[in-house]
Amino acid sequence: MSQDQTVVEDTEHHLELRKLRLDDYEHVKELMNQVYASVGGAWPYKNFKAQVTTFPDGQICIEDKGEVVAFAISVIVDYEQFGDKHSYDEITGDAYLTTHDPNGDVLYGVEVIVSPDYRGLRLGRRLYEARKELCRNLNLKSIMAGGRIPNYGSYASEMTPYEYIEQVKSKDIYDPILTFQLSNGFEVKQVLHAYLPEDQDSHGYATLLQWHNIYYEPGNPKLFGGLKPSARIGCVQWQMRYFENVAEMLQQAEYFVDALSDYKCDVALFPEFFNAPLMGLSPSESSIDAIWHLATYTDEILTAMSHLAVSYNITIIAGSMPVVEDDELYNVSYICKRDGTIESQYKLHPTPHEKSDWIMKGGNSLRVFDTDFGKIGVLICYDVEFPELGRILSEQEMQILFVPFWTDTKNGYLRVRRCAQARAIENECYVVIAGSVGNLPKVDNVDIQYGQTAVFSPSDFAFPHDAIVSETTPNTEMTLIVDLDLEKLRRLQNEGSVRNYLDRRRDLYRVEWIGN
């Protein structure tokens, strides 16, 4: 053998700590069947798939020469929503991890299993240390877990679970799980009753354990400008009328902004194409020429609306306006915040009329906007009829969906209204719709309007019985002002009679954005 050659010995073990993958299921299943033979054995694949896809970073394992020999499952939760009195199924979403909240404050330990053949290698400690590292890296307050006490069954006739725990703490009794957890820096916070009712060895009891992250850095509380628990929403049911010029139209817009600001509204929502009366100023009678001419006023109107937002201390969702970019026509809603910043949402689905008569293109992006009163989304009219968009926004924690619309007939309006109501119920959010009324006889193809502005809520006991917070008189120029309790949405997600967000079968289906 030459001096350049290296001898590689075939060691007994080759351990690697890594994230779990879907193709690890058979190994995980085998381990669970070994360890939990008396309490039902392994999860079905659908549970495992949901865990790995919902929170990939929280699912870790130790592999030895290609075989998973130990693993740990975790979830991030907003612990205040559950409190100390919870069951395993409640806080893990029946092991589907539907309770996962990326903005939560606690890493909850769902499961740790080590192969019986590897019990002497301290693999459990490695997994616990990896969890602690994850907790620190994510800047979470603590790790919480419900721990079985499998040796309690041998002492249940002699002592209460509280006495048993104290003796395990004093090392007078050994418990394979609790002794291990205590030695890894966890504290017993209290005893949980009926945590895992099927766990006969523990008589259904479990310990609620906590490990404190001493490196946790809470966000500095804001004395001013923090997020509000409620939002006052102002809507403008806009009367279409002829204007001589842009200044006259902006004067009418300022009238409504001033009125809503006087009532201390957080936001003012205008309808889609609220500036459409200016199409009557087009030198051409053609509808396509008129809409492209209308786009020439957008920059001026946007600048003025942003100025109004700052001056009147109110965020203005400026309905929507036509915009020409690279010789293409788009329909764009601008969010003019009261701090002076401007953001935009393009209409993704032009209607057949908009595509054929106006040669309008659809946008290619969708996002949630942060405001000082919560997370909001905007879908322009026809877009609300596509449930995938509301679902994507909901997954980004949208609380209020704003829908500026423009419909000419009642059946067109009812499509928007009923789809908006569906979005509120299925996504557990508020939906606000605002439209225009009146006539534009001098504008080709846009001479009539039908509209009724409304605010919809989820359908549960904490909300109006018909899930309609408020609505206007149809086809009459007016404003609508409502207060929306955002805390109700948080409670609904965990305590509602049905829980659309938590009960969603992420192991079977999902909606994904595949655009750029």
Side-chain angles (χ1 to χ4, degrees):
M1 180 181 294
S2 70
Q3 293 180 349
D4 295 331
Q5 291 176 309
T6 302
V7 176
V8 179
E9 296 183 358
D10 185 13
T11 58
E12 182 180 0
H13 299 292
H14 184 191
L15 302 178
E16 178 189 357
L17 179 71
R18 62 168 174 82
K19 290 192 287 188
L20 277 166
R21 302 186 298 258
L22 290 177
D23 58 9
D24 292 321
Y25 176 67
E26 288 304 319
H27 291 156
V28 168
K29 178 180 178 181
E30 183 179 349
L31 288 177
M32 292 192 76
N33 283 333
Q34 284 181 326
V35 175
Y36 286 150
S38 62
V39 287
W43 294 307
Y45 176 72
K46 57 189 179 183
N47 290 81
F48 180 73
K49 181 180 178 182
Q51 294 161 2
V52 172
T53 55
T54 298
F55 180 32
D57 291 337
Q59 322 318 333
I60 54 179
C61 70
I62 296 175
E63 173 189 298
D64 185 18
K65 297 181 178 180
E67 181 178 352
V68 174
V69 295
F71 69 91
I73 305 294
S74 306
V75 63
I76 299 174
V77 296
D78 180 356
Y79 195 73
E80 185 180 329
Q81 299 299 317
F82 299 93
D84 291 342
K85 300 295 185 182
H86 58 260
S87 70
Y88 179 86
D89 286 343
E90 287 171 343
I91 203 160
T92 68
D94 297 326
Y96 285 104
L97 305 197
T98 55
T99 54
H100 179 64
D101 182 353
N103 295 317
D105 56 356
V106 165
L107 186 68
Y108 197 89
V110 176
E111 191 59 81
V112 172
I113 287 184
V114 177
S115 167
D117 298 332
Y118 285 75
R119 292 278 167 85
L121 298 180
R122 295 183 174 84
L123 301 191
R125 183 178 296 275
R126 293 194 192 193
L127 292 173
Y128 268 51
E129 290 303 316
R131 262 190 187 162
K132 292 174 184 177
E133 181 182 4
L134 179 64
C135 181
R136 288 189 289 263
N137 290 340
L138 293 173
N139 191 37
L140 301 174
K141 283 183 182 178
S142 60
I143 301 174
M144 304 289 293
R148 299 173 60 233
I149 44 176
N151 275 8
Y152 176 62
S154 302
Y155 297 87
S157 60
E158 306 171 25
M159 60 184 74
T160 65
Y162 303 94
E163 294 169 332
Y164 175 81
I165 290 168
E166 288 304 312
Q167 293 210 31
V168 174
K169 283 183 180 180
S170 64
K171 300 183 180 179
D172 293 320
I173 294 177
Y174 171 80
D175 186 278
I177 294 179
L178 180 55
T179 298
F180 168 74
Q181 291 165 329
L182 294 173
S183 68
N184 277 275
F186 280 77
E187 302 172 359
V188 177
K189 194 172 182 184
Q190 65 175 258
V191 174
L192 297 173
H193 301 266
Y195 182 73
L196 273 173
E198 65 272 24
D199 181 9
Q200 297 181 6
D201 291 341
S202 305
H203 284 225
Y205 291 106
T207 54
L208 180 62
L209 298 136
Q210 185 172 32
W211 175 83
H212 296 278
N213 176 16
I214 63 173
Y215 299 102
Y216 172 66
E217 295 182 2
N220 293 326
K222 291 185 177 180
L223 298 179
F224 302 99
L227 286 179
K228 302 164 65 175
S230 64
R232 179 163 292 178
I233 307 301
C235 305
V236 179
Q237 188 156 291
W238 177 261
Q239 173 79 40
M240 290 292 189
R241 53 169 65 81
Y242 179 76
F243 294 116
E244 293 285 347
N245 50 51
V246 176
E248 191 175 314
M249 191 216 75
L250 288 172
Q251 184 179 32
Q252 183 69 14
E254 183 173 6
Y255 164 78
F256 285 112
V257 172
D258 186 6
L260 295 178
S261 175
D262 280 347
Y263 285 105
K264 295 181 171 54
C265 289
D266 294 295
V267 63
L269 174 66
F270 283 79
E272 178 184 24
F273 287 138
F274 71 101
N275 61 340
L278 299 178
M279 294 172 69
L281 303 181
S282 171
S284 170
E285 295 184 0
S286 163
S287 63
I288 187 170
D289 290 338
I291 192 69
W292 283 68
H293 178 78
L294 182 62
T296 63
Y297 301 116
T298 294
D299 285 345
E300 180 182 354
I301 296 171
L302 178 59
T303 299
M305 296 297 271
S306 180
H307 178 73
L308 292 176
V310 175
S311 300
Y312 287 96
N313 190 31
I314 184 172
T315 291
I316 299 174
I317 300 176
S320 75
M321 296 182 281
V323 174
V324 175
E325 294 178 353
D326 299 325
D327 295 324
E328 300 284 6
L329 183 70
Y330 298 93
N331 185 359
V332 184
S333 179
Y334 290 99
I335 300 91
C336 302
K337 297 183 180 179
R338 47 186 157 198
D339 64 2
T341 58
I342 301 174
E343 298 185 277
S344 61
Q345 175 61 59
Y346 286 57
K347 188 173 187 177
L348 303 183
H349 301 90
T351 63
H353 155 70
E354 290 169 336
K355 287 189 289 188
S356 62
D357 291 2
W358 291 349
I359 321 299
M360 182 171 283
K361 301 291 183 181
N364 296 308
S365 63
L366 179 70
R367 54 172 295 209
V368 163
F369 303 97
D370 290 308
T371 71
D372 52 13
F373 56 87
K375 292 181 179 291
I376 69 169
V378 176
L379 293 178
I380 302 172
C381 197
Y382 191 34
D383 281 347
V384 80
E385 298 177 30
F386 296 83
E388 299 88 348
L389 302 183
R391 177 61 47 82
I392 290 168
L393 293 172
S394 171
E395 293 289 350
Q396 298 177 54
E397 302 187 347
M398 172 192 66
Q399 297 164 290
I400 307 175
L401 174 61
F402 291 91
V403 182
F405 72 89
W406 185 19
T407 52
D408 55 352
T409 62
K410 187 172 183 179
N411 63 311
Y413 164 72
L414 289 177
R415 284 196 300 269
V416 171
R417 178 188 177 96
R418 287 169 178 162
C419 288
Q421 287 182 286
R423 302 299 85 81
I425 293 170
E426 68 199 15
N427 295 305
E428 298 175 330
C429 66
Y430 295 108
V431 179
V432 183
I433 67 172
S436 55
V437 300
N439 305 305
L440 288 174
K442 294 184 179 181
V443 179
D444 184 38
N445 285 338
V446 291
D447 50 341
I448 60 172
Q449 332 287 316
Y450 184 98
Q452 182 181 20
T453 297
V455 179
F456 306 118
S457 72
S459 183
D460 214 323
F461 298 115
F463 302 94
H465 74 281
D466 55 2
I468 302 172
V469 179
S470 189
E471 57 189 345
T472 61
T473 303
N475 298 328
T476 302
E477 184 171 53
M478 61 189 300
T479 61
L480 178 66
I481 301 174
V482 297
D483 283 335
L484 299 181
D485 186 340
L486 303 179
E487 288 299 316
K488 284 185 179 181
L489 298 179
R490 291 169 57 84
R491 292 194 295 271
L492 172 70
Q493 193 172 98
N494 292 285
E495 302 171 10
S497 1
V498 294
R499 306 174 304 172
N500 294 67
Y501 178 79
L502 294 180
D503 292 338
R504 200 166 294 150
R505 288 292 301 278
R506 292 171 176 82
D507 59 311
L508 297 180
Y509 57 87
R510 68 173 57 86
V511 177
E512 295 182 354
W513 182 263
I514 60 175
N516 295 328

